[in-house]
Amino acid sequence: MKTISLVPGSAEWLKSRSASKAPAMMGDGLYQTRSQLLHQMAAGSTKDVDAATQARFDNGHRTEELSRALAAEIIGDDLAPISAASDDDYLTANFDGITFLSNIGYEHKDWNEKLAASVRSGVIPDSHAWQLDQQILVGDLEYVLFVVSDGTKERFVSLKYYPNKERIAALLAGWHQFDKDLAAYTPPEVIPEVIAAPIKDLPAITYKMDG
């Protein structure tokens, strides 16, 4: 694993095979389809972030930081956020936290009742699990502590997610196929909307009635 500088939304991030893109690449994304990811990476651009979305991002960063100390207590080691690439530079990952021995990771998601209930039952859905698979692969980790929290102890659930060889093999196969599809991708033709020109002066209508 190599420590790198990778800012989400940057030009470098748009080109990268980042762990946060893994669920969409595998067809399990919550907020983005595989086709949308193909278009995004081919175009090298994203939509502008509106105020509501930015507020959600800001709150997520706040709760992630607050929860990091609670996660460190469970792991038994301090955690620091980093960005990293695999040794062959093929895959990248942004870690919400990783131990100083670089053997255990921490991934945080903002509080969501449905997701929290799933974690309590011992299940991390594929909409999040593929990201953890890639983090484990990039960092060669023992496990990732997956946390759903609002930054408080009252709303904090966690589950240790361990390596799965079959899933990691499927993830790599998925990225290799995605690379092929990206190389052959042709953006859909955008046909400009036809708008009729306004007519300023209309002919006068004359009526003649007899009888």
Side-chain angles (χ1 to χ4, degrees), residues 101-159:
L101 292 177
S102 299
N103 62 327
I104 298 171
Y106 153 67
E107 177 61 27
H108 175 269
K109 299 299 179 187
D110 208 13
W111 184 262
N112 175 290
E113 291 289 350
K114 182 178 180 180
L115 182 57
S118 182
V119 170
R120 287 193 194 99
S121 69
V123 176
I124 298 175
D126 283 341
S127 53
H128 298 87
W130 290 117
Q131 180 180 5
L132 308 184
D133 289 315
Q134 185 156 326
Q135 289 176 345
I136 286 171
L137 179 58
V138 169
D140 191 23
L141 304 179
E142 293 178 19
Y143 67 86
V144 175
L145 184 70
F146 184 75
V147 171
V148 182
S149 175
D150 66 354
T152 66
K153 290 184 178 180
E154 291 73 24
R155 285 186 169 182
F156 182 101
V157 295
S158 65
L159 186 65

